[in-house]
Amino acid sequence: MSEAFGFMFAFYGLLLGLAVAEVASGFSRAYDERKTRRLGFVAPLFGTLLLVDLITFWMNAWAYRELAEISYLAAFAVALVALLYYFAATQVFPKATETDTLDDHIMGHRREVAFCVLASNLLTQIPPATSAFTTPWPLSDITLWAGLNLTYYSLLCTAALAKSKKTVGIALVGAILLITSATAIFA
């Protein structure tokens, strides 16, 4: 592990850790308020999606452990990815002063959450996409990489744009299963 990676990973880990803490705090508030505010299923699914995707981000960062140096652009990109996730995490669960049910809250904020997750994922795919062109990948690798990512992005867009809670929930379950199975297989 390089010193540059250690330096960058500490920064990235701190920011991702804040997002994880925000989601955990939201789950805790939801549990505490369960008798006065209905839990529903969409908000917990969005919270779960953020947690599994954040863990995957953290694990994928390890691929850069031989990073020789850090540029300002790389540091900015890392901060942007993590801060988009933090913002998404703050939008999943309502604040204590809000009176919406959890599902009503997230249905009103699902676009922001899903599109922040989508933007973060797109940003992190720039290095592999560049690598696929500069060091030609086998067609099977490109097909698998593109297929997994496009499926995930489609599920995120469905969760963001669908009007039905059931459709949003199905898209989120699909996204969670895709992330966890792909990470288990390829990590």
Side-chain angles (χ1 to χ4, degrees), residues 114-137:
F115 289 137
C116 282
V117 172
L118 179 64
S120 289
N121 276 271
L122 286 170
L123 284 169
T124 62
Q125 292 309 307
I126 293 171
T130 303
S131 171
F133 288 105
T134 59
T135 324
W137 292 3

Side-chain angles (χ1 to χ4, degrees), residues 17-29 43-44 46-51 54 85-86 88-90 92-93:
L18 289 172
V20 169
E22 183 65 36
V23 173
S25 176
F27 274 117
S28 179
R29 280 192 317 274
F46 261 111
T48 302
L49 173 72
L50 285 178
L51 288 176
L54 282 163
Y85 254 99
Y86 180 76
T90 66
V92 173
F93 295 99

Side-chain angles (χ1 to χ4, degrees), residues 21-63:
E22 183 65 36
V23 173
S25 176
F27 274 117
S28 179
R29 280 192 317 274
Y31 178 78
D32 289 346
E33 298 170 352
R34 69 190 180 283
K35 292 181 180 168
T36 59
R37 189 189 312 232
R38 222 170 53 92
L39 184 59
F41 66 94
V42 180
L45 285 173
F46 261 111
T48 302
L49 173 72
L50 285 178
L51 288 176
V52 298
D53 209 18
L54 282 163
I55 292 165
T56 301
F57 268 63
W58 206 309
M59 290 178 60
N60 289 340
W62 189 249

Side-chain angles (χ1 to χ4, degrees), residues 46 49-50 53 57 80-89 91-92 106-124 150 152-163 168 171-172 175:
F46 261 111
L49 173 72
L50 285 178
D53 209 18
F57 268 63
L80 184 58
V81 165
L83 291 172
L84 282 167
Y85 254 99
Y86 180 76
F87 178 77
Q91 300 304 302
V92 173
I106 192 60
M107 288 300 287
H109 291 80
R110 71 187 184 285
R111 287 179 182 87
E112 292 89 347
V113 174
F115 289 137
C116 282
V117 172
L118 179 64
S120 289
N121 276 271
L122 286 170
L123 284 169
T124 62
L150 291 175
Y152 185 52
Y153 303 155
S154 296
L155 290 167
L156 287 173
C157 287
T158 300
L161 301 173
K163 294 186 186 316
V168 172
L172 291 170

Side-chain angles (χ1 to χ4, degrees), residues 136-175:
W137 292 3
L139 183 58
S140 60
D141 289 355
I142 292 173
T143 303
L144 178 62
W145 174 76
L148 287 171
N149 282 296
L150 291 175
T151 301
Y152 185 52
Y153 303 155
S154 296
L155 290 167
L156 287 173
C157 287
T158 300
L161 301 173
K163 294 186 186 316
S164 157
K165 287 182 189 179
K166 183 178 178 181
T167 303
V168 172
I170 291 169
L172 291 170
V173 167

